[in-house]
């Protein structure tokens, strides 16, 4: 960083620094305008800091050239941007797109768009209603697994009718996302067949939205998950709406540990009810032979407060710490593989049927 800063200072007469950001934009920028974006994948709040003037340059079809009049921050910007670019290539070579299928950054819950008001309203309803008692009741009801008997692949096909209203990055049927995730993992981790299958089945619990499974409302099926029975961490998206949740004021549930104890293990923690916990119960009770890391991924893949913000680690035990490493690998594919790229279902189906046969019984209770 120091060498970069020295180069900038040696050119004190030049107050301009050019940064090329490869956003993959096809088309042409129009008139010069105040640009409210930023570098790489930073949050909007970070993007607004440290930039005095940024202008678009017309008729540059592939890359965007940005002019910045502030050499004192150049070294820091270049250093940060370089680190973020490294994260854009996943462990086995899967290239992360810069934007989601709506042309926005991933998991940007403040981005303006047709889905933004609906997504925020979803989280308001979710945060008000996901109480400790509600989760306990749902686990008791659905833990009986007395709804239907069917195979894993039959359940995959049911998801053709499901769209997740809480997801700001995707509006395709869920089976598209399942196959995108599984195939991206398969490419980068060819020897970890259990991880391929986990990618395929991780969202199967979203069948809770269908009539034969009780047709639960979206707020009780999808969205980010978090512990109930202890304080709601501020890193949880749209945290402000928890103030309308009765548990927020309950002294038994609103402290750091609440109903739990230090290092008790996440398996002892009640998570907000939804497709994650339901599919975890289905897999576990039907005696899957998938490793513990797979069950951890299934139950906590929407637990962003943990694997993004490192909240609630005080509740984890040693096994959780080991399994979290695989969840962090998986999460990149779960999030960034969402795209408009279609998967040839019939072409990949035989492979996944063989994995289902290896790790699950022919019919499962749901």
């Amino acid at each position: 960083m120091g060498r970069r800063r020295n180069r900038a200072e040696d050119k004190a007469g030049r107050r301009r620094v050019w940064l090329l950001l490869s956003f993959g934009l096809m088309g042409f920028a129009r008139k010069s305008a105040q640009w409210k974006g930023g570098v790489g994948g930073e949050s909007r709040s970070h993007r607004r800091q440290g930039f005095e003037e940024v202008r678009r340059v017309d008729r540059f079809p592939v890359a965007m050239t940005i002019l910045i009049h502030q050499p004192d921050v150049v070294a820091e910007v270049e250093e940060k941007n370089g680190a973020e670019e490294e994260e854009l290539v996943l462990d086995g070579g899967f290239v992360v797109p810069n934007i989601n299928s709506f042309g926005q950054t991933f998991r940007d819950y403040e981005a303006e768009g047709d889905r933004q008001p609906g997504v925020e309203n979803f989280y308001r309803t979710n945060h008000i209603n996901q109480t400790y008692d509600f989760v306990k009741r749902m686990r008791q009801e659905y833990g009986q697994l007395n709804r239907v008997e069917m195979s894993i692949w039959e359940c995959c096909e049911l998801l053709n009718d499901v769209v997740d209203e809480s997801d700001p990055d995707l509006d395709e049927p869920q089976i598209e996302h399942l196959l995108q995730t599984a195939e991206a993992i398969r490419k980068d981790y060819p020897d970890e067949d259990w991880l391929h299958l986990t990618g395929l089945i991780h969202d199967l619990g979203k069948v809770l939205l269908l009539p034969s499974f009780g047709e639960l409302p979206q707020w009780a099926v999808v969205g980010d998950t978090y512990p109930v029975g202890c304080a709601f961490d501020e890193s949880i998206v749209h945290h402000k709406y928890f103030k309308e949740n009765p548990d927020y004021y309950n002294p038994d549930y609103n402290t750091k540990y609440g109903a739990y104890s230090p290092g008790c293990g996440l398996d002892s923690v009640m998570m907000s009810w939804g497709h994650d916990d339901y599919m975890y119960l289905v897999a576990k009770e039907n005696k899957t032979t998938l490793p513990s890391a797979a069950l951890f991924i299934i139950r906590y893949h929407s637990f962003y407060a943990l694997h993004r913000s490192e909240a609630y680690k005080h509740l984890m035990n040693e096994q959780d710490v080991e399994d979290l490493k695989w969840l962090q690998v998986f999460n990149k594919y779960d999030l960034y593989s969402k795209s408009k790229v279609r998967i040839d279902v019939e072409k990949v189906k035989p492979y996944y049927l063989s994995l289902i046969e290896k790790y699950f019984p022919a019919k499962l209770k749901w």
Side-chain angles (χ1 to χ4, degrees):
M1 183 184 296
R3 289 196 298 271
R4 288 188 179 128
R5 191 182 299 277
N6 288 337
R7 289 202 305 270
E9 291 174 351
D10 289 341
K11 299 177 182 178
R14 298 177 60 187
R15 302 288 293 177
R16 301 179 181 181
V17 176
W18 297 84
L19 292 178
L20 283 177
L21 301 182
S22 253
F23 287 153
L25 296 175
M26 299 303 295
F28 301 97
R30 295 183 177 177
K31 62 182 180 178
S32 296
Q34 195 71 19
W35 178 251
K36 295 183 180 180
V39 180
E42 294 177 306
S43 66
R44 283 174 170 249
S45 61
H46 291 161
R47 291 174 185 169
R48 295 191 181 102
Q49 298 174 5
F51 297 95
E52 292 180 349
E53 180 182 0
V54 182
R55 296 176 181 170
R56 295 192 234 183
V57 177
D58 288 347
R59 304 185 68 79
F60 203 97
V62 177
M64 179 175 290
T65 302
I66 298 181
L67 178 64
I68 302 178
H69 289 277
Q70 195 165 342
D72 291 340
V73 299
V74 169
E76 295 181 15
V77 171
E78 289 182 346
E79 190 77 21
K80 187 171 183 65
N81 193 43
E84 290 174 352
E85 286 179 356
E86 288 179 4
E87 294 179 356
L88 294 181
V89 180
L90 302 189
D91 303 321
F94 176 76
V95 179
V96 174
N98 289 317
I99 57 177
N100 62 21
S101 57
F102 300 104
Q104 299 163 348
T105 54
F106 285 92
R107 287 183 59 81
D108 187 347
Y109 290 92
E110 303 300 328
E112 296 181 1
D114 293 340
R115 288 171 64 82
Q116 194 276 337
V119 170
E120 180 165 353
N121 185 62
F122 161 87
Y123 275 107
R124 179 179 183 275
T125 308
N126 172 281
H127 292 353
I128 292 172
N129 291 286
Q130 289 277 1
T131 64
Y132 186 87
D133 289 341
F134 170 76
V135 172
K136 186 176 181 180
R137 187 167 67 251
M138 289 295 100
R139 288 194 113 228
Q140 289 174 343
E141 178 180 345
Y142 282 92
Q144 298 178 48
L145 303 181
N146 57 3
R147 298 275 170 173
V148 67
E149 288 192 16
M150 62 179 172
S151 69
I152 289 288
W153 191 263
E154 287 173 326
C155 188
C156 289
E157 293 178 331
L158 285 179
L159 288 190
N160 277 325
D161 299 325
V162 172
V163 173
D164 184 344
E165 293 180 0
S166 74
D167 194 337
D169 301 321
L170 187 72
D171 64 351
E172 297 291 337
Q174 288 299 300
I175 193 164
E176 295 285 335
H177 168 54
L178 297 182
L179 288 170
Q180 288 169 353
T181 303
E183 285 294 283
I185 295 172
R186 182 183 176 188
K187 179 181 178 181
D188 288 356
Y189 291 86
D191 298 327
E192 307 291 345
D193 66 354
W194 66 271
L195 194 57
H196 311 165
L197 183 57
T198 304
L200 179 71
I201 70 172
H202 74 284
D203 274 347
L204 291 188
K206 290 180 180 180
V207 293
L208 290 174
L209 294 166
L210 302 177
S212 56
F213 289 84
E215 201 169 10
L216 293 181
Q218 290 260 342
W219 63 263
V221 180
V222 298
D224 287 12
T225 59
Y226 44 85
V228 294
C230 60
F232 300 115
D233 191 81
E234 292 187 359
S235 65
I236 301 170
V237 63
H238 292 306
H239 176 273
K240 59 188 177 183
Y241 294 121
F242 283 120
K243 293 181 179 180
E244 300 179 62
N245 184 311
D247 286 358
Y248 187 86
Y249 304 96
N250 188 331
D252 292 332
Y253 301 142
N254 65 4
T255 62
K256 179 178 181 179
Y257 290 101
Y260 313 111
S261 59
C264 62
L266 294 180
D267 193 46
S268 302
V269 174
M270 299 268 276
M271 299 294 295
S272 55
W273 177 251
H275 72 280
D276 315 63
D277 205 18
Y278 177 58
M279 188 59 206
Y280 166 78
L281 292 175
V282 169
K284 185 178 179 181
E285 297 304 317
N286 280 281
K287 310 300 182 185
T288 180
T289 56
L290 285 169
S292 64
L295 293 176
F296 190 91
I297 289 170
I298 291 169
R299 191 176 192 225
Y300 306 113
H301 67 270
S302 302
F303 189 6
Y304 281 89
L306 171 65
H307 51 75
R308 273 296 186 86
S309 304
E310 299 188 342
Y312 299 104
K313 282 194 169 183
H314 53 281
L315 301 176
M316 296 172 64
N317 59 25
E318 292 182 3
Q319 186 61 55
D320 294 332
V321 173
E322 290 302 310
D323 290 340
L324 178 59
K325 297 173 185 177
W326 278 111
L327 175 55
Q328 289 171 329
V329 168
F330 174 86
N331 178 252
K332 298 175 183 178
Y333 295 88
D334 182 25
L335 176 59
Y336 295 117
S337 65
K338 298 172 184 178
S339 70
K340 295 294 185 179
V341 177
R342 307 300 293 271
I343 302 294
D344 187 337
V345 177
E346 293 305 315
K347 182 178 179 180
V348 302
K349 181 177 178 179
Y351 173 69
Y352 289 102
L353 287 177
S354 71
L355 297 187
I356 292 169
E357 183 178 1
K358 178 179 179 180
Y359 290 106
F360 282 96
K363 295 286 186 180
L364 286 73
K365 294 180 179 181
W366 299 78

